Amino acid sequence: MGVRTKDVVVLAADQKATMGSFAVDLDAQKVYRLTDHIGITIAGGSGDAQTLVRFLRSQAKLFEIERQNKITTKALVTFIANILSGNRYYPFMVQFIVGGYTGQPMLYSLDAVGSVSEIQDYTVTGSGSLHAVSVLDTQYSTSMKRDDAIKLAVRAVTAAKKRDIYSGGQSVTVMVIDSSGIQELGKKDLEKYLAA
């Protein structure tokens, strides 16, 4: 899931990877750093998503080397959408949420065939979406500060973990993106948010 405020974007996800009704991994990574100011969450097929994450990282780095300038969030989202749309007849089975900071916080949702939605407030993907969005619908505010946005993201993912059988895992992964770049919250940082 992703939450956008006027100062920050928060990306968060559970940590359970499943194969049908079998929990394959309870410490799966579903939030990735693409650049020093752009992150992505994954839902769907792990193999497809991980392949695309590796490719996007290399393309973003190549862009920076060739142009001696960092790729913008919008440009990388457009690139992802073009890849997904170009494979629509043999699609990558994924849903992405991309958050970044390019002059301001930016949040996008992409589906498996390259449809892009620019998000002003919050968005969700994956099997736990119904449970997470219920929390977001009732508790999101445009005037939220950084800590409030993190608390809300953790609360929404926790709600999905409680009620959705395909969501779960050891903890919650949280990435915060603002004007100073990306901060990935460690276990110690998360403690105060998980308790709230």
Side-chain angles (χ1 to χ4, degrees):
M1 57 141 310
V3 175
R4 176 183 174 183
T5 71
K6 65 184 183 69
D7 299 316
V8 68
V9 171
V10 178
L11 301 177
D14 71 298
Q15 297 179 334
K16 183 193 271 186
T18 60
M19 187 171 14
S21 60
F22 176 60
V24 178
D25 189 353
L26 297 177
D27 196 25
Q29 184 175 354
K30 296 184 181 181
V31 183
Y32 292 88
R33 176 191 296 248
L34 295 178
T35 71
D36 61 1
H37 64 284
I38 304 171
I40 191 167
T41 71
I42 66 170
S46 293
D48 283 352
Q50 290 170 2
T51 297
L52 285 168
V53 165
R54 287 190 299 270
F55 182 65
L56 294 169
R57 283 176 172 164
S58 65
Q59 290 300 304
K61 192 66 179 168
L62 188 61
F63 180 99
E64 189 176 333
I65 292 167
E66 288 177 345
R67 293 171 177 78
Q68 296 185 1
N69 198 5
K70 295 177 189 228
I71 193 165
T72 65
T73 307
K74 177 66 175 166
L76 191 54
V77 166
T78 301
F79 184 64
I80 299 167
N82 289 342
I83 293 168
L84 296 172
S85 180
N87 286 280
R88 66 178 41 237
Y89 296 108
Y90 191 64
F92 291 100
M93 300 310 293
V94 295
Q95 289 180 297
F96 291 128
I97 297 171
V98 178
Y101 197 98
T102 308
Q104 65 177 346
M106 307 183 92
L107 186 63
Y108 298 89
S109 179
L110 294 97
D111 70 11
V113 292
S115 172
V116 177
S117 297
E118 184 172 1
I119 308 299
Q120 299 302 316
D121 44 21
Y122 53 85
T123 188
V124 294
T125 60
S127 63
S129 293
L130 181 64
H131 309 290
V133 82
S134 297
V135 173
L136 295 166
D137 281 344
T138 58
Q139 299 178 25
Y140 175 82
S141 167
T142 53
S143 61
M144 296 181 93
K145 300 292 183 215
R146 180 183 191 274
D147 270 7
D148 296 326
I150 296 169
K151 280 180 199 166
L152 178 59
V154 169
R155 213 174 285 134
V157 172
T158 301
K161 286 174 61 174
K162 281 184 183 172
R163 296 293 180 182
D164 175 55
I165 62 170
Y166 299 109
S167 299
Q170 302 292 340
S171 188
V172 176
T173 305
V174 178
M175 177 182 284
V176 182
I177 309 168
D178 59 20
S179 58
S180 59
I182 290 178
Q183 179 190 7
E184 297 174 64
L185 301 188
K187 286 181 181 177
K188 206 162 194 177
D189 299 321
L190 271 174
E191 284 175 7
K192 70 175 181 178
Y193 300 109
L194 289 168

